[in-house]
Amino acid sequence: MNNKDRKLLKTNHLYLLNNLEIERVIEVLYEDARDILQDEDVAVLKSKATLREKRKALLELLPRRGPQAFQAFCDALEHENVKQKYIVDQLLGRATTPEGASSNVQETRQIEEGISQIAISGASGEPSGPSTPATVSLDDTDGPIQVNVEPCTEKFFHNMNSQEICYTMVKQPRGLACVVSNTVFDASTELKDKPRNGGKVDLKNITTLFKKLGFVVRELCDKTAKEIKDGIQSFANDEAHKTANCCVVVMMSHGVPEHIYGRDGQLVNIPNIINMFNNTNCTPLRGKPKLFFFQACRGETVDKGTAVPAVPDSGSLLPSNFLENAIGQDEPDGAPDQPSNTDMLICYPTQLGNVSFRNPACGSWFIQALTKVFMNRAKDQTVLSMMTTVNRLVSENTASTSDPAYRGGKQSSECIHRLGKELYFFPGITK
């Protein structure tokens, strides 16, 4: 590999570490470029514990594999099974400036160093008012996401849609999606100098994603707390839910435990928002899946992670006949009516009490992961399966900052699962 190509890989090292569909790239290189990747190379790459380690190992190997290695790598990225031509554009300088990024040299350098912001909450419990977000830098700059949702096949749709264990997802559009995104805050608030840089990237990614998954998306941008509550209540009352198969609510802003901020610095209670869509308050959505995604801090604790020792797999902690050993008869604890909050999936970017990280040029870790996973895997995976992958991807990120309070920060997203059936989006199916 010549010096020019080596320099391109080195310059874009962080970008590649966070974007490569490494498993697919390895497969394509192995099949199409045996002089670049051989059996022992594949074995070494696949032995790495994390995707990041696999990407790093491949990037270290490529410069040692001759003058054709860089072109073979680019060809693999453009292969139909990888579909990462946008990375080739980035390597060759053809990529566009991410939304929210600056073309100013000094500001661009700051972005490359990872200057970002996160919202920090007050004490746990009922917040008395806004607290000031702190500035935190991240080293995981991913670049813009080209949102292209892979379609479901007719065969897979017919195999799964005919089963009673799956929610019905056949309408076109599938349903309505409401996306709340606050990125700037009123001059009268303590948040006035803390814009959510990168929030517009999140908005673009998430709205494009759900449009391509078959939803009609409605946006509520830079609204006050009252405007958010009134807007979502109006959305919950929409007659279109009667004929819809599904409903999605996305809310992105600064936050504290169980609340997000309106543009005016007032708080919106998250449980109250969720209750607008329960079986009592939103009867047209009874029995239909309702998905909630929140992007905001849930506290001020910075999770620095911990070393996890290898533990032999000892199997299940419960005996195989655990339920069979129960004695007596089950009795209902209440009336046999349907519970109020069924058929819901409630997803948060971080655990209660913890901060959530966001990059100014590329958006939040959580929304980036959500977009990437859903657009590639909604074709044949359930929402719960995809969210497991999202959780893993988010947890693999690490914050880098000059502030020791946040350096090495980790994040673990989580979901509250109340779905009663398997949920597939069946993207591209119009029947």
Side-chain angles (χ1 to χ4, degrees), residues 146-368:
Q146 305 296 322
V147 183
N148 295 306
V149 174
E150 296 189 22
C152 173
T153 64
E154 291 276 353
K155 180 178 179 181
F156 183 82
F157 169 73
H158 288 300
N159 286 343
M160 300 308 300
N161 192 57
S162 61
Q163 300 187 31
E164 292 184 359
I165 62 171
C166 297
Y167 285 105
T168 300
M169 289 287 278
V170 297
K171 294 292 182 66
Q172 189 63 27
R174 296 290 190 258
L176 305 182
C178 181
V179 179
V180 175
S181 176
N182 280 2
T183 59
V184 295
F185 299 84
D186 291 349
S188 60
T189 72
E190 293 185 35
L191 301 173
K192 61 182 179 181
D193 297 323
K194 306 299 178 183
R196 294 184 61 252
N197 298 323
K200 290 184 178 180
V201 179
D202 279 347
L203 175 65
K204 182 177 180 180
N205 286 340
I206 207 72
T207 55
T208 304
L209 174 69
F210 280 107
K211 285 178 182 177
K212 292 190 175 184
L213 286 172
F215 289 82
V216 175
V217 179
R218 299 176 182 174
E219 299 178 13
L220 294 172
C221 298
D222 297 325
K223 302 297 185 182
T224 65
K226 185 178 187 305
E227 288 171 338
I228 291 173
K229 289 181 279 190
D230 290 348
I232 294 183
Q233 185 64 73
S234 176
F235 175 79
N237 294 338
D238 197 301
E239 292 292 319
H241 291 309
K242 291 181 179 179
T243 57
N245 287 148
C246 185
C247 173
V248 175
V249 175
V250 182
M251 301 183 72
M252 303 180 290
S253 185
H254 287 310
V256 294
E258 302 297 352
H259 296 76
I260 69 164
Y261 283 109
R263 187 197 69 209
D264 55 350
Q266 299 301 306
L267 291 164
V268 178
N269 182 278
I270 289 176
N272 288 349
I273 294 295
I274 294 171
N275 285 337
M276 291 181 185
F277 297 85
N278 66 25
N279 294 326
T280 300
N281 297 322
C282 190
T283 56
L285 287 173
R286 282 182 181 175
K288 300 175 182 179
K290 297 164 280 285
L291 310 180
F292 300 87
F293 302 96
F294 298 97
Q295 171 53 48
C297 285
R298 305 179 71 197
E300 59 184 13
T301 300
V302 180
D303 183 355
K304 292 298 186 75
T306 184
V308 180
V311 179
D313 183 6
S314 58
S316 173
L317 297 179
L318 300 177
S320 60
N321 62 343
F322 175 75
L323 292 178
E324 296 175 6
N325 291 338
I327 300 175
Q329 296 181 341
D330 293 327
E331 295 181 354
D333 286 330
D337 295 332
Q338 186 180 33
S340 297
N341 294 286
T342 61
D343 305 293
M344 292 180 173
L345 185 68
I346 304 164
C347 304
Y348 296 97
T350 189
Q351 296 179 18
L352 186 63
N354 288 357
V355 300
S356 174
F357 292 101
R358 170 174 38 81
N359 185 276
C362 316
S364 62
W365 293 359
F366 180 61
I367 298 299
Q368 286 183 67

